[in-house]
Amino acid sequence: MPDMTGYAFPNDIHIGWTLMVVLYPYLTGLVAGAFICSSLYHVFGRKELAPIARISLVVSACFLAVAPLPLLIHLGHPERAFNVLITPNFESAMAGFGIVFGLYLVLVMLEIYFVFRKDIILRARRSRGPLRWILAAVALFTYDISEEALAVDEKIVRVLAGVGIPAACLLHGYVGFIFGALKSNPWWSTPLMPIIFLFSAVVSGIALLIVLYQIAMRFRGTPIDQNCLRSMAGWLWLFLIVTFSLEMLEVITLAYERSEEWEVIGYLLSHQLSFSFISVQVVAGSLIPLILLMVVVLMSGHMKAPLLNMLTFVASGLLLMQVFSMRWNVVIGGQMFSKSLRGFRLDYVPEFFEKEGTAVAIVICIVPFLLLLVADRLLPLWSQADAKAHQDESS
Amino acid sequence: MSRRTFLVSALQGAGAGAALVIAVPVDSLLADKGRVVERYDWNDHSYLFLVDISRCIGCGMCVKACKKENGVPAAFYRTWVERYTVYDEETTHIESPEGAMNGFGPSNPATGASKSFFVPKLCNHCKYTPCTQVCPVGASYTTRDGVVMVDRKRCIGCGYCVQACPYGSRYIDPESHTADKCTWCYHRITRGMNPACVQACPKGARLFGDRMRENDPVFEMVETRPVRILQPELLTKPQCYYLGADKEVR
């Protein structure tokens, strides 16, 4: 039996939504964030983001592929998971999950297809054996890479990316809604929840791309495109300001109202979550990156590129941690107190080796990177220049 | 036993089994099963529950009876009893050791408490219940006679209903990995019996009624006495009423 303080309803001492349920919104956040980052290039014409326009889409797809895993592991009866699609109860906020997820998956895959169609064809042409056939089938046996055909591709990508933005918002806002729409839990029940989830998703997506971009360029020995990185840092800063303001506004409003809920939430934040909320999410995860990115954005003219790169890298790493801690504080924090609003669990640490434990979470987080490595073998993920290199290699 | 004799006896056994299956009047089995349903029409009932706080002595017989009747796993509760000890307007001590399955230890009279009372808790079978609202597959549902139930064969075990219940009435059964909760002993009430907890209560603190029964004493009490429901601000319309509940009860 866990250590408790105060009075908790007897069924409330269990943590029902575990680390896996923390992981799911984190992964979909990365999906939505990376996608929106790619849309900045495809839809809003931020040409300086060209170096990461392709990889961001593929990152989105790789994380999307593993996103349902933690949920399936969490379910008591994963074999019945498809019932959500077959016999949905549309009154439930969760029932639309399959539809939203499925639509988004189709959209991302289609966009990836049209972005990489030319490269798929080029790769098919220079491949031998089964791979050639597979790639040819993926290209629908049409090897048309004339300028007109590519222009059509580009148009389709623009439309898909345009539709993808609201879809990504829907996918992630929806996750926030699942929590925000529960009136039983004062820590979750706020209309701000979907918005906070959404903005922090974008933050985590951009931060991941910055980290990936810098590591990949170092391994490939390619110089970092400073314009691209500065632009990403700028966007990251902007989205962080919005996210952090919303997160703080929510807490400040609750504290100022001093309603019944605050008695619980105030205690929660200053005791059970004092480390993960105040130290990790607010100070190390938000305030420090906020300052670092401010320095990068406002003082880039006065500093050398390697220093700026490092500051951006550190800020992004901290932000990846911040968003994870935010998901943790919401999901686990919301279960650290009883609905009696009088009792608290003293702590919750997931076991390393258990069904929904830390080891499983780590493996799930590694899989998307392995998928990325596979994708990198098949297609030029990094930039147009990369694509050209692939092309030259094939000719 | 040779292979031949084994096969012969196995065939005979199978034949006898088949004959037995045919001999048992299948119709009568079905009819028997149907009879209960036939007698019981859920359109003719509308249940409600009343807890008379002044009568509860905190013996925990109700919790024990519920556990036995429904095979409730250890550390989970379909019903429980809370003991409130109020010292002053700011300080209230609440406890429910093991859901009060074994009652409570003696309270300390020297602590200067101004009042103390027991509060039996169970699922409120809310009319507008958030738990069935959030179930993604419709495994949680409300019967026409007003009982909130879980279909174990459909439940996917996502735990959303557990999070959505403001009263802490639900849990995920560690054996079936599905949501579980108080059913007001549906298997009993559809046979005209009381829920096990009502049956077990030695003081009549738990009362089970039916609005559609003529001159139902429980319904009459709810209609005429000053009762309250828990967390009315959530607008879930509980069908479980409390007579004499203190403001501290949530």
Side-chain angles (χ1 to χ4, degrees):
Chain A
M1 197 172 137
D3 289 330
M4 305 292 292
T5 168
Y7 172 67
F9 291 144
N11 290 326
D12 278 356
I13 61 172
H14 312 278
I15 297 277
W17 281 0
T18 58
L19 184 58
M20 290 298 121
V21 185
V22 176
L23 205 55
Y24 174 72
Y26 188 57
L27 294 176
T28 51
L30 294 170
V31 170
F35 185 89
I36 286 172
C37 204
S38 86
S39 293
L40 286 175
Y41 170 79
H42 288 297
V43 183
F44 298 108
R46 311 305 310 180
K47 294 294 171 214
E48 68 275 17
L49 292 177
I52 52 102
R54 302 166 143 245
I55 186 79
S56 53
L57 260 184
V58 180
V59 165
S60 191
C62 291
F63 277 88
L64 195 63
V66 296
L69 272 182
L71 286 190
L72 286 174
I73 292 167
H74 166 72
L75 284 188
H77 285 275
E79 78 280 6
R80 298 178 191 166
F82 273 100
N83 287 3
V84 179
L85 276 171
I86 301 163
T87 57
N89 163 32
F90 282 117
E91 269 210 333
S92 166
M94 215 182 253
F97 167 77
I99 297 164
V100 173
F101 189 88
L103 279 178
Y104 189 66
L105 186 68
V106 170
L107 214 102
V108 171
M109 294 321 286
L110 275 179
E111 193 178 334
I112 287 184
Y113 176 74
F114 284 108
V115 166
F116 287 98
R117 204 179 65 88
K118 183 181 163 192
D119 304 298
I120 294 168
I121 291 167
L122 291 177
R123 179 81 204 219
R125 275 187 184 158
R126 67 187 158 88
S127 298
R128 294 277 169 272
L131 183 65
R132 184 191 179 103
W133 284 102
I134 293 167
L135 289 170
V138 171
L140 302 176
F141 301 103
T142 311
Y143 284 13
D144 184 0
I145 46 171
S146 61
E147 294 235 332
E148 300 86 63
L150 292 179
V152 172
D153 283 357
E154 212 165 291
K155 262 188 198 160
I156 294 174
V157 166
R158 219 174 119 82
V159 171
L160 286 173
V163 178
I165 297 169
C169 293
L170 193 67
L171 175 74
H172 206 67
Y174 178 69
V175 178
F177 182 79
I178 283 181
F179 293 97
L182 281 190
K183 60 183 168 187
S184 60
N185 193 317
W187 182 225
W188 292 346
S189 173
T190 156
L192 272 184
M193 198 57 91
I195 305 168
I196 296 178
F197 264 76
L198 198 54
F199 278 102
S200 66
V202 182
V203 167
S204 67
I206 301 176
L208 175 68
L209 288 170
I210 288 176
V211 170
L212 259 179
Y213 180 53
Q214 296 209 33
I215 292 176
M217 291 305 110
R218 174 152 291 217
F219 271 104
R220 296 157 68 92
T222 318
I224 290 166
D225 183 326
Q226 291 302 319
N227 268 342
C228 173
L229 196 64
R230 284 305 89 75
S231 172
M232 282 209 282
W235 286 108
L236 185 59
W237 189 47
L238 172 72
F239 281 108
L240 172 61
I241 292 170
V242 178
T243 308
F244 187 53
S245 308
L246 286 171
E247 285 172 2
M248 288 303 99
L249 274 173
E250 192 208 342
V251 175
I252 292 167
T253 313
L254 278 168
Y256 192 78
E257 280 179 355
R258 293 171 77 183
S259 56
E260 189 189 13
E261 289 85 8
W262 180 246
E263 283 193 9
V264 181
I265 294 162
Y267 187 88
L268 186 74
L269 296 182
S270 57
H271 291 78
Q272 281 80 358
L273 301 185
S274 63
F275 177 69
S276 61
F277 184 79
I278 297 171
S279 309
V280 181
Q281 188 182 332
V282 176
V283 179
S286 303
L287 288 175
I288 295 177
L290 207 61
I291 296 166
L292 293 180
L293 289 172
M294 190 172 72
V295 170
V296 171
V297 173
L298 300 180
M299 299 170 70
S300 57
H302 308 282
M303 293 159 90
K304 286 197 171 140
L307 180 62
L308 286 171
N309 293 352
M310 194 197 66
L311 291 181
T312 315
F313 187 86
V314 171
S316 302
L318 286 173
L319 281 171
L320 282 173
M321 178 190 71
Q322 191 267 5
V323 177
F324 184 82
S325 68
M326 178 266 178
R327 310 294 192 242
W328 172 276
N329 290 329
V330 169
V331 178
I332 302 298
Q335 299 171 83
M336 293 299 279
F337 60 90
S338 166
K339 287 159 193 156
S340 67
L341 302 189
R342 282 171 157 137
F344 296 87
R345 240 184 113 103
L346 290 185
D347 59 0
Y348 167 71
V349 182
E351 300 269 328
F352 193 75
F353 292 112
E354 64 177 339
K355 186 181 151 223
E356 301 181 43
T358 319
V360 177
I362 292 171
V363 171
I364 290 174
C365 287
I366 290 173
V367 173
F369 294 102
L370 298 180
L371 292 177
L372 260 180
L373 280 179
V374 174
D376 192 38
R377 282 284 167 95
L378 289 172
L379 295 164
L381 296 187
W382 283 100
S383 64
Q384 302 294 341
D386 233 28
K388 199 165 178 307
H390 268 247
Q391 205 176 328
D392 295 343
E393 193 186 310
S394 63
S395 54
Chain B
M1 187 186 280
S2 72
R3 196 194 312 177
R4 184 187 165 80
T5 49
F6 172 76
L7 285 174
V8 167
S9 51
L11 274 173
Q12 282 169 345
L20 194 69
V21 168
I22 295 161
V24 172
V26 177
D27 282 356
S28 74
L29 273 178
L30 285 176
D32 193 41
K33 212 176 165 190
R35 209 161 54 219
V36 179
V37 180
E38 205 180 300
R39 263 196 235 143
Y40 185 79
D41 186 347
W42 63 1
N43 293 307
D44 296 341
H45 304 272
S46 172
Y47 296 116
L48 72 165
F49 203 101
L50 178 64
V51 175
D52 185 349
I53 285 180
S54 63
R55 285 174 179 262
C56 181
I57 56 171
C59 64
M61 292 302 285
C62 48
V63 183
K64 229 177 226 173
C66 172
K67 284 248 177 198
K68 277 202 168 163
E69 180 73 28
N70 300 298
V72 182
F76 295 93
Y77 303 88
R78 287 187 178 199
T79 184
W80 65 95
V81 183
E82 298 166 350
R83 176 163 72 184
Y84 288 66
T85 312
V86 182
Y87 295 94
D88 52 55
E89 279 185 36
E90 299 289 320
T91 329
T92 302
H93 178 70
I94 311 167
E95 61 194 320
S96 182
E98 286 182 274
M101 194 163 66
N102 301 307
F104 294 85
S107 59
N108 185 357
T111 51
S114 56
K115 56 183 168 182
S116 183
F117 47 88
F118 300 102
V119 180
K121 289 272 185 82
L122 65 160
C123 169
N124 286 285
H125 294 273
C126 308
K127 202 170 174 185
Y128 304 120
T129 175
C131 60
T132 61
Q133 185 194 14
V134 303
C135 177
V137 292
S140 259
Y141 61 100
T142 306
T143 59
R144 294 223 179 123
D145 38 14
V147 185
V148 179
M149 308 260 276
V150 179
D151 186 343
R152 284 188 176 204
K153 288 184 185 146
R154 290 173 76 93
C155 176
I156 60 172
C158 66
Y160 202 13
C161 57
V162 179
Q163 304 293 349
C165 172
Y167 305 99
S169 304
R170 285 179 170 245
Y171 56 86
I172 296 289
D173 187 316
E175 281 157 31
S176 67
H177 305 292
T178 54
D180 201 18
K181 63 179 289 299
C182 160
T183 61
W184 274 345
C185 289
Y186 201 68
H187 57 289
R188 290 171 61 91
I189 59 175
T190 48
R191 287 173 171 81
M193 294 187 269
N194 269 326
C197 60
V198 174
Q199 194 71 32
C201 180
K203 298 296 285 180
R206 288 171 178 255
L207 302 161
F208 190 64
D210 183 350
R211 287 183 190 83
M212 291 171 89
R213 193 160 46 203
E214 236 175 275
N215 302 324
D216 186 88
V218 180
F219 184 42
E220 224 170 84
M221 277 170 90
V222 169
E223 290 263 275
T224 57
R225 305 280 295 275
V227 292
R228 59 163 280 210
I229 47 173
L230 302 181
Q231 303 188 48
E233 70 281 5
L234 295 180
L235 302 179
T236 58
K237 290 264 163 93
Q239 300 302 299
C240 182
Y241 297 86
Y242 284 82
L243 186 62
D246 189 81
K247 65 177 175 49
E248 293 294 327
V249 180
R250 190 184 152 78

